[in-house]
Amino acid sequence: MGVLDEAFIQAPEHRPKTHLTNSGDYILSNEIPTIDLSSLQDPHCDKTALAAEIAEACMRWGFFQVINHGLSLDLMRRVEKTVADFFSLTLEEKRRVKRDEVNPMGYHDGEHTKNVRDWKEIFDFFLQDSTTVPATTEPEDTELRKLTNPWPQNPSDFREVCQEYAREVEKLAFKLLELISISLGLPGDRLTGYFKDQTSFLRFNHYPPCPNPELALGVGRHADAGVITVLAQDSVGGLQVSRRSDGQWFSVKPNPDAFIINIGNCMQVWTNDKYWSAEHRVVVNSSKERFSMPFFLFPSHDTNIEPLKELLSEDNPPCYKKYNWGKFFAARNRSDYKKLQTESIQIDRFKAA
Ligand code: OGA
Ligand code: NI
């Protein structure tokens, strides 16, 4: 990635504000709630206070940060190191583990969000080394496909460290899922049945310095498709979140020892819009590269996503029609893979009339 190719240029209304304006359009802030998980170290702790904090954050922002989350900081530093080493390999070597039309996992440097190219390169791997997904996007086609991860030979510790990290982040994700269930007044294990064949994956994002950061984005505005996202990032910063109440963009102050948690589309549908799957984006800069590591907690391919019956009532009728997660996942992967004529599939398509 050298000079800015036309494919990266955002439409004027989506370009990031790189300076503070008088109207306060771009506010450097740490406004999303921070939740301290240290009480979870005690397995018998009362989770209701934490669940209340989470409910508030999920309704107002759909984003929060967790500290004292129980993951080893040493492990976080080790995975960051091996990921940086991987991205520093030659393009030729990285492309040996490149994703393709069949398997969306592996290395990729041509991702598009809403049909504009993102200023980044990525490496993705499934949490389950054999993950079952639909073979095609055709609604009537029930054929399935088992996918395995393409692992690079270098760095030599890459696979082992990444898998160790993935298992630990998964544990944190399920602790959060339990707290979210409790926060909705549901049993702590209400949602776990949807993950028997989970399609969750980990992504490593590398955002190189960009010659024209005012014209491009590291990731264009989007909401994550899954249940929740558990994201680690370095100290550079660049993530921005759109506030639910008015759509204003806020910068998230980076903390490399914390995780950013955000609600995905599935959770928004399950909760019938009570919890918010916020749009977010990544701005880039001309001097520093940036790394981030989102873990996308995704259900099994055969899960049908619809508002949870227990949360509905006469006053709260379902806002969404049922959709199949596997087919949604397959359709999304096609649209991320290359520039399409139309916008990629969004949950709005399943809004009830
Ligand atoms: C993503 C994403 C944010 C970041 O990969 O979906 O939103 O800070 N990443 O890299
Ligand atoms: Ni995202």
Side-chain angles (χ1 to χ4, degrees):
M1 298 199 202
V3 283
L4 194 71
D5 186 276
E6 212 185 309
F8 293 100
I9 298 179
Q10 298 283 335
E13 66 273 26
H14 297 313
R15 289 182 196 161
K17 303 260 186 327
T18 45
H19 302 287
L20 253 171
T21 64
N22 291 336
S23 61
D25 245 354
Y26 175 69
I27 304 168
L28 256 183
S29 76
N30 194 17
E31 285 235 7
I32 63 164
T34 294
I35 298 180
D36 183 342
L37 297 182
S38 46
S39 61
L40 288 184
Q41 311 294 350
D42 169 9
H44 304 293
C45 82
D46 177 13
K47 301 195 172 100
T48 49
L50 273 182
E53 280 186 69
I54 284 179
E56 177 72 13
C58 293
M59 287 187 288
R60 283 174 50 116
W61 285 93
F63 256 85
F64 54 98
Q65 171 171 270
V66 294
I67 54 169
N68 300 317
H69 42 67
L71 248 93
S72 142
L73 298 182
D74 171 63
L75 176 58
M76 292 177 77
R77 300 295 94 88
R78 278 192 290 133
V79 69
E80 285 161 10
K81 167 84 172 67
T82 199
V83 166
D85 288 347
F86 170 75
F87 283 120
S88 71
L89 298 173
T90 62
L91 194 54
E92 187 193 352
E93 192 158 0
K94 289 182 280 196
R95 285 192 173 152
R96 287 198 190 121
V97 288
K98 161 165 104 49
R99 78 188 271 187
D100 57 36
E101 302 242 11
V102 173
N103 192 340
M105 297 296 113
Y107 176 76
H108 189 48
D109 64 355
E111 191 148 89
H112 291 83
T113 304
K114 302 194 198 297
N115 280 339
V116 182
R117 218 177 132 184
D118 295 327
W119 188 264
K120 65 169 183 177
E121 53 179 346
I122 61 179
F123 181 87
D124 290 341
F125 66 99
F126 282 123
L127 183 78
Q128 320 266 49
D129 219 333
S130 170
T131 294
T132 305
V133 296
T136 70
T137 57
E138 297 304 321
E140 305 308 324
D141 182 1
T142 54
E143 195 189 327
L144 299 173
R145 186 178 270 155
K146 271 192 192 325
L147 296 174
T148 51
N149 293 320
W151 290 106
Q153 291 195 329
N154 286 312
S156 57
D157 68 349
F158 186 79
R159 176 178 183 162
E160 196 186 312
V161 176
C162 293
Q163 288 182 319
E164 182 185 351
Y165 176 72
R167 282 190 297 272
E168 294 303 312
V169 184
E170 180 198 12
K171 279 187 213 157
L172 174 60
F174 279 103
K175 283 183 198 166
L176 290 160
L177 192 71
E178 181 189 354
L179 289 170
I180 289 173
S181 300
I182 296 170
S183 78
L184 292 164
L186 301 170
D189 63 357
R190 169 62 178 87
L191 302 169
T192 47
Y194 298 123
F195 298 89
K196 288 198 182 73
D197 279 319
Q198 61 180 305
T199 52
S200 304
F201 72 97
L202 239 147
R203 166 165 290 179
F204 301 133
N205 289 309
H206 175 222
Y207 305 95
C210 177
N212 296 93
E214 69 289 355
L215 297 177
L217 288 169
V219 190
R221 80 190 159 93
H222 67 284
D224 293 346
V227 175
I228 56 171
T229 303
V230 180
L231 175 128
Q233 61 177 321
D234 63 16
S235 57
V236 174
L239 174 61
Q240 297 186 339
V241 178
S242 166
R243 182 164 63 187
R244 184 174 195 176
S245 57
D246 59 3
Q248 168 90 305
W249 288 103
F250 283 83
S251 293
V252 174
K253 192 171 168 225
N255 174 355
D257 294 346
F259 286 95
I260 301 291
I261 314 301
N262 63 290
I263 295 296
N265 288 163
C266 295
M267 186 64 81
Q268 179 167 338
V269 172
W270 277 339
T271 64
N272 206 36
D273 283 349
K274 181 174 185 187
Y275 288 178
W276 182 243
S277 163
E279 285 204 320
H280 52 285
R281 66 183 184 185
V282 173
V283 301
V284 283
N285 70 80
S286 57
S287 59
K288 285 188 192 144
E289 64 179 345
R290 173 175 183 260
F291 296 92
S292 72
M293 313 193 288
F295 170 70
F296 300 106
L297 183 70
F298 281 7
S300 315
H301 71 87
D302 58 0
T303 309
N304 289 321
I305 307 292
E306 61 185 326
L308 298 171
K309 296 276 180 305
E310 305 93 305
L311 302 180
L312 299 176
S313 66
E314 218 169 287
D315 298 336
N316 184 23
C319 303
Y320 297 91
K321 292 177 283 198
K322 175 157 76 183
Y323 64 95
N324 173 261
W325 169 253
K327 293 291 176 186
F328 187 90
F329 178 80
R332 265 296 180 97
N333 281 327
R334 275 200 64 238
S335 66
D336 289 354
Y337 187 72
K338 53 172 171 278
K339 197 173 157 100
L340 297 177
Q341 292 311 314
T342 52
E343 272 220 354
S344 68
I345 180 169
Q346 307 289 327
I347 49 166
D348 287 354
R349 184 176 302 185
F350 307 109
K351 272 271 182 197

